[in-house]
Amino acid sequence: MRLTWGISLKVTYTDKSGKKVEQTFSTEEEGKKLKEKLKALGITDAKWEW
């Protein structure tokens, strides 16, 4: 069971085609993996909300 106590964990960024993307995640570990993935894709405008 994952509890975030109403905390919004999400990242918004612009993908390669210019589309705005909002992606949510449940844990700090998922966030770290997502951050690495976005870095590998060359995403530079990611805005993180923890």
Side-chain angles (χ1 to χ4, degrees):
M1 178 184 242
R2 295 180 195 154
L3 296 176
T4 59
W5 293 296
I7 297 170
S8 176
L9 303 172
K10 69 180 179 179
V11 61
T12 54
Y13 59 93
T14 306
D15 69 10
K16 295 277 185 193
S17 66
K19 187 176 92 178
K20 273 284 198 202
V21 178
E22 180 176 293
Q23 192 165 349
T24 59
F25 51 96
S26 300
T27 65
E28 185 176 347
E29 189 60 36
E30 285 180 27
K32 288 178 182 178
K33 289 178 184 176
L34 185 55
K35 193 172 195 174
E36 287 300 315
K37 178 183 170 187
L38 295 180
K39 185 177 178 183
L41 292 173
I43 303 297
T44 59
D45 71 339
K47 296 192 179 22
W48 297 87
E49 292 183 36
W50 297 88

